[in-house]
Amino acid sequence: MTTPTTSSPTTDEEDLPHTKDTGDPFDRDVLPTPPGATAALLRSLLAPMKARVALTTLLLLLQQAAVQAGPLLVAYAIDRAVPAFRADDHGPLVAVAVGYLVCALASGGLQYAFLIASARVNQDVLLDLRGRIFRHAQALSIDFHERYTSGRLISRSTTDVESLRELLSEGLQELVTVILSFLYISAMLLWLDLGLGAVAVASFVPLYLLVRVYRQRAGRVYRVRSTAIAAVIVKFVETMNGIRPVRAFRREAVNEAEFRVLNRRHERTNGDALLEMARYVVGSRLVANTAVAGIVLWGAYRVAGGSLELGVLAAAVLYLRRLYDPIDRLGMFLNSYQSAAASLEKIAGLLAQTPSVPEPSVPRELPARRSELPGREVVFDGVGFGYRTGGEVLPPFDLTLPAGQTVAVVGSTGAGKSTLAKLLARFYDPTAGRVLLDGVDLRDLAMAELRRGVVMVTQEAFLFSGTVAENIAIGRPDASREEIERAAKAIGAHEFISALPDGYDTDVRKRGGRISAGQRQLVAFARALLADPAVLILDEATSSLDIPGERAVQAAMATVLKGRTAVVIAHRLSTVEIADRVLVMEHGRIVEDGSPDRLIAGTGRFADLHRAWRDSLA
Ligand SMILES: Nc1ncnc2c1ncn2[C@@H]1O[C@H](COP(=O)(O)OP(=O)(O)OP(=O)(O)O)[C@@H](O)[C@H]1O
Ligand SMILES: [Mg+2]
């Protein structure tokens, strides 16, 4: 199963990964999260807002104090204020009523302040996190994107961030509330009556055990569930990304069957999670109700015997209800905690990835371009290469392309032409040797300078949302309209662009702005020309053009390639006619190297190819 790496409208076979997609987005094997990365991520997210986190905690602490004063006031009312009221002293009862009201108002106000403060913290954390995911994923090298599908990236920045949001917005508050009320209430109960307090505290032991068992079991279930939901998303995205081949090869039924399996698996794990939850809720209620029943029974016995005041018993029962109430919700919190922990771990794994093609720490500058020497010299010095997933693709070789030379690279499918080009554009670093641009190792060049110096146009010809003009100007955003049009004219794209509904201002993603594969290539070509690189690589860049279109580009090529070093990869040999030099590749090796005339006159592979091509034209 192959997986698309971009949401490109075409399916570029060449850039599809050759790794096997396990369909398991948790992917410990593909992307293990280094130990400690999750905690470090959490710390780095919260570090900038320490003060605000402290403030929110304080607000919650105060709010809990206000809430938990209630039963105490009830006890006071029953045992002191009501008897005083009977003795015509109204003061204490009024004080209790006022006190109750004040506590209620204070707790409401504090809760409001807390919700606003915590929402701000959460928003900033999530904003930061999603930004980091995008920035990081975009900065990672091509080979990462070949292993990690776009579906996975989407599920990282949607589902995973959302589950963190759930935790932060509800779960965390829940946990702190539960812990605080446990502390407050235990202290109150023990203070009110040591015996009753001790019984209540003793009931924590089975509850704690219950929570522990639940955490373990639910943890397992949630891990499986988060894998299952991500598999559903990956399948969905992949199918829709590849909707054209899906249609073309009538894969709908197969896809649907595969999707049904994944969808069912996800629902099943949901059912498992609910079952665990139900067991936990029933168990915790059982413990809680048994404890309350025991306390009521024992308390009533003691009240009858005169060793306990009725108000204290009433307060104890009220406290116990409040104590056990949030335990159901604690289960809920543990759920969101589990899935958020799994999500955070996956996000941390992604963020811990380092680009395999890193920016140099101390970049070197390219020597100034001497005007009498057009382009830049390219040297492959003992370069060897193999993709991460396979064996050696290019055995070590040396190759020098003098500045300004136009080199055609031909050879059969899979020979390694595109691989050579991608090494020159530094999409990958060679596994052996170095690629030099005017004597500077590509690894020592700042990415910005490299991208200015070396531009590669591929068959894919991806267009971004925006206008045609914007798409042409990508390599040089400050280009004037005149320069954009000049570039388009030079490669013969001006006519079709002018014929679009809004000409150069046509939005390529809107109705009427849809342009054909060949036209896309022309736009990509104009883009490369406008970027004016010292080294231009064309990898099947004209493969979608019709013969007149290619002829037009051919005619323009002489001007386009003048003043730069060019590597032209093409199956159609017409492209080769303008080359100064031809390289023939077979199985990763350069087997022929010479001027086109010399090679055609010879008896080698290129002579054969050329003869076959000429015959096909006749
Ligand atoms: N991203 C990748 N991961 C792993 N292997 C790859 C990758 N891209 C290409 N290969 C392998 O490297 C070899 C050379 O591929 P390359 O794309 O360079 O060939 P090519 O000469 O450009 O072929 P074509 O004419 O079909 O474009 C092939 O065997 C291919 O399977
Ligand atoms: Mg290729």
Side-chain angles (χ1 to χ4, degrees):
M1 183 162 59
T2 48
T3 41
T5 50
T6 61
S7 54
S8 143
T10 56
T11 42
D12 184 357
E13 285 303 327
E14 170 192 287
D15 282 337
L16 290 180
H18 298 241
T19 44
K20 190 171 169 297
D21 186 346
T22 53
D24 178 356
F26 207 75
D27 270 345
R28 293 174 177 289
D29 48 333
V30 174
L31 198 66
T33 305
T38 312
L41 172 62
L42 204 57
R43 267 200 306 279
S44 80
L45 283 170
L46 291 175
M49 37 196 106
K50 263 189 202 125
R52 285 154 68 197
V53 171
L55 172 72
T56 16
T57 316
L58 181 70
L59 286 171
L60 197 58
L61 230 76
L62 292 175
Q63 192 254 348
Q64 278 299 303
V67 168
Q68 302 306 355
L72 214 56
L73 287 167
V74 170
Y76 181 77
I78 293 176
D79 295 335
R80 302 276 178 280
V82 172
F85 187 78
R86 286 211 182 103
D88 254 359
D89 179 4
H90 296 188
L93 201 56
V94 171
V96 165
V98 171
Y100 209 90
L101 199 67
V102 167
C103 281
L105 286 176
S107 112
L110 286 164
Q111 171 129 29
Y112 183 73
F114 165 81
L115 285 177
I116 289 186
S118 68
R120 292 228 172 101
V121 171
N122 297 346
Q123 273 167 8
D124 288 354
V125 166
L126 296 173
L127 202 70
D128 181 15
L129 189 62
R130 204 175 262 140
R132 283 196 209 189
I133 295 173
F134 184 82
R135 226 173 311 125
H136 197 80
Q138 193 174 239
L140 284 171
S141 313
I142 304 289
D143 75 322
F144 166 82
H145 290 279
E146 285 170 349
R147 284 176 300 141
Y148 208 74
T149 60
S150 51
R152 281 193 188 118
L153 285 175
I154 290 171
S155 112
R156 280 314 79 85
S157 67
T158 54
T159 344
D160 289 332
V161 172
E162 280 315 310
S163 79
L164 219 63
R165 180 194 302 284
E166 232 169 78
L167 173 75
L168 289 175
S169 64
E170 290 154 29
L172 219 48
Q173 179 200 356
E174 206 67 64
L175 178 74
V176 177
T177 311
V178 169
I179 292 174
L180 280 181
S181 49
F182 263 77
L183 292 177
Y184 270 116
I185 292 174
S186 312
M188 286 294 183
L189 284 171
L190 287 168
W191 177 67
L192 281 173
D193 184 274
L194 214 54
L196 292 187
V199 174
V201 171
S203 74
F204 294 173
V205 176
L207 283 176
Y208 171 74
L209 292 177
L210 207 65
V211 167
R212 258 192 57 168
V213 170
Y214 175 70
R215 252 199 75 166
Q216 266 168 15
R217 301 178 62 117
R220 217 171 310 126
V221 171
Y222 272 82
R223 199 162 285 236
V224 176
R225 191 181 76 148
S226 95
T227 302
I229 180 66
V232 169
I233 295 177
V234 168
K235 181 76 198 163
F236 206 100
V237 171
E238 189 186 287
T239 307
M240 301 312 155
N241 265 354
I243 191 70
R244 287 174 187 80
V246 164
R247 273 293 135 67
F249 295 100
R250 294 188 302 279
R251 287 268 303 172
E252 288 95 338
V254 180
N255 279 336
E256 202 186 318
E258 284 173 8
F259 188 77
R260 197 178 310 127
V261 171
L262 295 174
N263 203 11
R264 285 231 177 99
R265 181 164 74 123
H266 171 233
E267 280 315 319
R268 222 177 15 250
T269 58
N270 258 336
D272 292 347
L274 275 176
L275 194 66
E276 288 302 329
M277 179 77 186
R279 286 181 184 151
Y280 167 77
V281 169
V282 169
S284 65
R285 290 219 174 128
L286 203 66
V287 174
N289 289 332
T290 312
V292 172
I295 283 180
V296 168
L297 204 66
W298 184 43
Y301 182 75
R302 281 177 54 196
V303 169
S307 67
L308 186 71
E309 283 178 293
L310 182 60
V312 172
L313 178 60
V317 171
L318 280 178
Y319 271 133
L320 283 173
R321 284 250 59 91
R322 285 194 181 188
L323 183 61
Y324 296 134
D325 248 14
I327 288 183
D328 285 4
R329 300 206 308 270
L330 184 66
M332 216 78 98
F333 159 74
L334 286 174
N335 283 349
S336 60
Y337 174 80
Q338 302 281 7
S339 60
S343 292
L344 199 64
E345 190 184 336
K346 283 185 275 181
I347 293 174
L350 170 63
L351 293 181
Q353 288 291 304
T354 48
S356 59
V357 176
E359 185 87 35
S361 44
V362 188
R364 275 184 63 190
E365 303 234 324
L366 282 173
R369 226 160 128 177
R370 277 171 294 162
S371 51
E372 77 272 16
L373 257 187
R376 288 189 184 277
E377 182 197 55
V378 172
V379 174
F380 289 83
D381 176 20
V383 168
F385 182 73
Y387 289 96
R388 196 187 264 265
T389 48
E392 188 177 58
V393 172
L394 303 180
F397 68 100
D398 293 310
L399 175 69
T400 301
L401 311 179
Q405 193 171 61
T406 297
V407 183
V409 183
V410 300
S412 47
T413 296
K417 307 180 293 293
S418 299
T419 307
L420 183 94
K422 287 189 275 190
L423 288 175
L424 176 52
R426 204 183 172 212
F427 285 178
Y428 305 89
D429 279 333
T431 31
R434 6 174 241 163
V435 182
L436 305 170
L437 187 62
D438 265 359
V440 182
D441 192 328
L442 294 188
R443 282 178 281 225
D444 294 333
L445 277 179
M447 275 305 173
E449 176 144 48
L450 173 66
R451 297 284 165 246
R452 251 196 318 277
V454 182
V455 165
M456 172 149 145
V457 183
T458 64
Q459 184 171 25
E460 185 183 21
F462 187 82
L463 295 191
F464 299 90
S465 42
T467 66
V468 175
E470 283 163 1
N471 263 290
I472 295 177
I474 276 170
R476 241 180 72 201
D478 58 334
S480 69
R481 176 54 62 93
E482 212 189 326
E483 289 171 309
I484 293 174
E485 288 191 19
R486 204 179 315 131
K489 278 183 186 142
I491 54 104
H494 182 70
E495 279 69 39
F496 99 81
I497 297 174
S498 307
L500 290 170
D502 296 316
Y504 282 83
D505 295 316
T506 307
D507 191 319
V508 296
R509 291 285 153 96
K510 293 241 174 74
R511 276 176 86 82
R514 301 276 175 190
I515 62 181
S516 75
Q519 291 168 334
R520 264 206 312 271
Q521 286 196 333
L522 287 176
V523 170
F525 226 114
R527 179 192 287 167
L529 179 58
L530 189 62
D532 191 27
V535 178
L536 183 61
I537 307 165
L538 306 175
D539 188 356
E540 301 285 341
T542 54
S543 60
S544 299
L545 299 184
D546 56 10
I547 301 291
E550 193 172 31
R551 274 278 131 77
V553 169
Q554 222 81 72
M557 205 84 107
T559 12
V560 170
L561 300 185
K562 203 166 72 202
R564 50 192 116 243
T565 312
V567 175
V568 182
I569 301 172
H571 283 296
R572 294 191 200 167
L573 292 195
S574 49
T575 326
V576 170
E577 287 174 342
I578 53 148
D580 305 317
R581 178 180 176 188
V582 175
L583 301 175
V584 182
M585 287 187 78
E586 280 317 318
H587 305 297
R589 285 175 209 282
I590 298 167
V591 292
E592 284 172 43
D593 177 355
S595 72
D597 295 342
R598 194 172 69 79
L599 292 184
I600 291 168
T603 55
R605 198 70 187 93
F606 187 68
D608 290 346
L609 278 175
H610 194 263
R611 210 169 304 117
W613 172 69
R614 237 195 3 237
D615 290 348
S616 76
L617 292 184

